[in-house]
Each structure stands twice: as C-alpha cells, then as structure tokens.
Amino acid sequence: MTIPADGTTWPLVAHACAAIAAGIAACLLGLLAPRARGTTLLAPLLWAVAAFTFLASSEVWIAANVEDESSFGISLLRYAATAGLFTPIMALLGAKRPQDRGWQWIVASLWLVLVWPALQGLVTASAARVELFTAWRLFLGGLLCLAPLNYIPTQFRVAVLLATVGQAVLIYEWLAKGSASDSGSRTLVGTFLLLLAVAALRRGLTASNAKARHGHQPESAANRQTARWIAFRDAFGAFWSLRVMQRVNQTAELQNWPVRLEWAGFQAVSEPGAAHDHDTAGDHTVYQDRNSAVLAETKDQIDQTLDTLLRRFL
C-alpha cells in the first residue's frame, strides 16, 4: 500500500472506511440468513451479502492502489461493484417457487449486462474511465427506482430510502456523468448510507419480533390472519403482495366471504358478498364477532387460501 504522491491521505482513508462499512453491512446481512432459510428470501439475501462483500473487497483493493485511482481498471472495478448492488432486488422479482432457482441465472445475467459496456471499454482501451451511453444510464435509473417502489408502502420504507440514496450516490459518476475526482468521498458517503439502511432493516425486524413476543397482537382469528399477511407484505414488498392480495380477493368474491384483504389486513364488509358496502358503525373495520357463525366457517377457508398462496414463498 502506498500513499498518494502529493501526500494526501484522504482518498486512502475514505476507501478504507468505505471497505469497513461495506464489510460490516455484509456481516449484518449474513446474520439474517438463518431467519430466511426455507423461504425464497434467502436468494435475495445471499445476493446482498455477495454484493456488499464484493464492494468491501473492491474498496480494499482501491485503497491499496489509491495512486492509480483515476485508471480505467479502478473505474471498472468500482462500477462492477456498484452494479452488483442491483442484484438483490432483481432476485426478489423472481422469489416465487418453483421458478426461483432458475431465476438466479437471470440475476447473474443482469449483472453481466450491466458491466458489459465497461468490459467493452476494457477490451478496446477506448476511454480513460468507464462511461455509459444515455440508454444505459436510463436503464440504471429505472433499476434504482425498483426498490423504493416495492418497499416504501411497508414498515421498511426508511431502510429502503437510505439504501436508494446510498446507491444513487455510489453510481452518480456514471448515472449523471459526474467527475471521478472525488470518488473516495462519494464512495464513503454512499457506503455509509447503505450501512445505515442495513441497520434500519435490522432494527425494524427486531421491533417486529419484540412486538410479537410481548403479545401485542390480539388472539382473534382475524388479527392472526392480518398479522400473517403484514409479515409477508413487509418481507416481500408491493410487487408480490399486490398479486397475492388480488388472488385472495378473487377467492373471497367467489366464496362470498364477509371480509376482503386490503393493504392493512383483512377488513369486514357489511354482509357476505358485499365487497364495497360499509358498516354503520365504521367503514372497513376489522371483521367482528357479529358474523361469528359465518366467520367460524370462513376462518378455515381463509387459512387454507393463505397456505396455498404463501407456500410458494415461505
């Protein structure tokens, strides 16, 4: 490891700190693997661990060769590591059995597609650093929007916003043709935001576990089913949850259930089969014991429907 010729140690410190932050994030995510085992969330989680590990390793390499920070090879390494951060959300898009295993090849292909323009520059030696065409920058911008669109409606909105801003900071140099001169500072800020996002994610999971342990969920069938739905909704986000919600409500209409599934959970309708009516005591309240005879029968149907749909994921 060498110090820059001008004696400035800040780039070295910035990249070293970024490596530490990315390494800590990888370890924190790795500790979640036992909880995800047996679910289709394991693959996105492992992609995230791999992406952060690659990012940490690349920052270690850059710190050790900081005098060559402006070279094309370093630019390619930084871009490839940053592109890897898009793989977890892409893995989540295929997190449904039985296609989830084959989907991982598509995730790997996405990463190769993202780094292909950079690899072309490496072969042709046509540029001093990685530069992307406009269409490629728009593609990256679209990928950047996927995670917030999926998770902002959930309890993990803070974590996903921090992660999105962190990714945007890391990829700014290529997304908006920014300068590479302050890459160390940008990398440190972006990686630190990503670490905060991981910490916020773990804090949200810990709060959910504590709430469940202390019995904050009422023991009625309605609330148990709603708690089950919310746990799935928050874990998988809007893309899959809206699809499951649609399937549940299709079944509810066909079988004339006295409830419908909404984003906040199972909500009562005024009478079985009336999906859009309102009860005089309040609009869309959690279904009540007033329908106890019907609900006793419907409970098993709802549980069976949830079992059938969620076993593709959990």
Side-chain angles (χ1 to χ4, degrees), residues 175-278:
L175 195 63
K177 285 190 174 182
S179 171
S181 59
D182 57 346
S183 62
S185 300
R186 267 203 312 272
T187 302
L188 178 58
V189 171
T191 308
F192 183 71
L193 287 171
L194 291 173
L195 177 58
L196 288 178
V198 173
L201 168 65
R202 289 183 60 87
R203 181 177 181 181
L205 291 172
T206 302
S208 297
N209 291 341
K211 185 176 181 180
R213 283 197 303 269
H214 288 85
H216 288 191
Q217 292 293 339
E219 288 301 319
S220 69
N223 286 318
R224 286 197 301 272
Q225 292 160 346
T226 291
R228 185 180 181 188
W229 156 252
I230 290 177
F232 171 81
R233 180 201 73 183
D234 288 342
F236 285 85
F239 297 154
W240 285 117
S241 296
L242 291 175
R243 177 58 177 159
V244 169
M245 184 191 302
Q246 179 189 28
R247 294 288 300 276
V248 169
N249 286 331
Q250 286 175 347
T251 303
E253 291 177 4
L254 289 174
Q255 299 188 11
N256 291 326
W257 292 352
V259 297
R260 294 296 183 268
L261 180 57
E262 298 183 1
W263 189 253
F266 285 94
Q267 306 289 334
V269 292
S270 61
E271 59 184 7
H276 301 290
D277 292 344
H278 300 289

Side-chain angles (χ1 to χ4, degrees), residues 4-155:
D6 61 358
T8 303
T9 59
W10 170 245
L12 172 62
V13 173
H15 288 294
C17 291
I20 294 171
I24 293 174
C27 292
L28 291 177
L29 289 171
L31 293 175
L32 296 177
R35 296 186 55 173
R37 186 174 292 117
T39 75
T40 57
L41 285 176
L42 182 59
L45 179 61
L46 292 180
W47 278 108
V49 172
F52 276 103
T53 302
F54 184 22
L55 180 61
S57 301
S58 68
E59 289 304 309
V60 169
W61 178 266
I62 295 170
N65 299 273
V66 72
E67 75 280 1
D68 297 325
E69 188 179 8
S70 60
S71 68
F72 183 86
I74 294 297
S75 179
L76 171 60
L77 181 61
R78 289 175 44 241
Y79 173 71
T82 303
L85 295 171
F86 290 108
T87 55
I89 186 63
M90 182 56 61
L92 184 69
L93 296 181
K96 180 183 178 183
R97 299 183 180 99
Q99 71 264 28
D100 58 308
R101 293 188 177 182
W103 185 261
Q104 307 316 312
W105 291 103
I106 295 178
V107 179
S109 299
L110 169 71
W111 182 78
L112 290 175
V113 167
L114 289 176
V115 301
W116 181 250
L119 293 176
Q120 285 181 313
L122 179 64
V123 172
T124 60
S126 58
R129 64 188 182 96
V130 174
E131 295 183 358
L132 302 178
F133 298 112
T134 301
W136 231 258
R137 297 201 302 272
L138 292 175
F139 182 42
L140 289 178
L143 290 176
L144 198 61
C145 294
L146 290 179
L149 286 175
N150 192 48
Y151 281 108
I152 280 181
T154 73
Q155 69 162 328

